[in-house]
Amino acid sequence: MKKSRFLIILALLAAIALLISNEWRNLSGEPRYRLFVNFDSVSVTPDWPWLTGLYYMLCDDWTAGRFGHALVSNANEFDNRFPEVPAGHCCIEFTDMGYFSDQNEQHIWTEANLTLHLPRERDASSLVLQLIHCPGLKGIAVDSQQNPAVQDGFHSSCESPEVTVNKHRLFYLPASSAQLKLPFSTGKADIYLIYAPTAENRQGVVSRIGITRL
């Protein structure tokens, strides 16, 4: 009985601390970010304030796809494809099934483990993407306008990723470094992860992470 009462009191204190922490961050003017992470299985671990993290560790909200510090989503359990996260580092890990057409539709699995360093300054013009484990990743393209035509180009079986990058004059960096500085002057960006072609998939597979500053 004493133990359960202690846990209840601790949870209440954590909830109060969460409210204070969120209010403090609102007053500080730090932005939040809405992500687009529509992958087959994805885990997003933001840089929660420690009081917020404590609350989530004590009060897991499974209906929002939250478990401890992480936000998780997969095809069978959760629908949390558009999480709102605070500024700071944000770890994203996913596996995804990409499709390509070569007479018969086939699929290929891709994966990535990376960290976004989301700016704390509201007028920041760039952000840093840290690649941790991204097997087969060839390069990164960035669309600062989040243009639907770019999305269609990357997912068209008629165009190679290089054609889409050149046609829309996208910012592009090869995945030759662990840390990449990407443009973010408009407060939004679609980051395209371009995976190298294989013997079966001659064009490569492209995955998209969307970021919008709130």
Side-chain angles (χ1 to χ4, degrees), residues 29-30 40 75 77 86 126 129 147 152 163 173-174 181 184 204 213:
E30 284 193 1
D40 189 78
E77 296 178 355
S126 64
L129 175 65
N147 184 355
D152 292 341
V163 169
L173 282 177
K181 187 176 182 179
F184 195 60
R213 184 163 53 209

Side-chain angles (χ1 to χ4, degrees), residues 88-192:
H89 66 263
C90 182
C91 301
I92 300 175
E93 186 172 2
F94 72 83
T95 58
D96 197 30
M97 186 167 61
Y99 292 89
F100 64 94
S101 179
D102 187 5
Q103 295 181 343
N104 297 317
E105 187 176 80
Q106 301 181 49
H107 66 266
I108 183 171
W109 284 98
T110 57
E111 62 178 300
N113 186 340
L114 51 86
T115 299
L116 289 169
H117 295 272
L118 300 170
R120 299 187 183 277
E121 302 79 16
R122 207 164 262 285
D123 58 351
S125 60
S126 64
L127 58 82
V128 172
L129 175 65
Q130 182 179 358
L131 305 177
I132 299 171
H133 179 68
C134 304
L137 186 65
K138 178 181 179 182
I140 304 289
V142 180
D143 174 21
S144 297
Q145 302 303 319
Q146 295 183 329
N147 184 355
V150 175
Q151 300 173 27
D152 292 341
F154 275 123
H155 293 97
S156 169
S157 60
C158 301
E159 291 185 359
S160 68
E162 290 77 13
V163 169
T164 301
V165 168
N166 293 329
K167 178 192 293 186
H168 296 279
R169 299 181 180 179
L170 302 180
F171 178 88
Y172 178 83
L173 282 177
S176 57
S177 174
Q179 293 217 19
L180 305 175
K181 187 176 182 179
L182 307 180
F184 195 60
S185 58
T186 63
K188 59 184 179 180
D190 279 338
I191 298 175
Y192 291 94

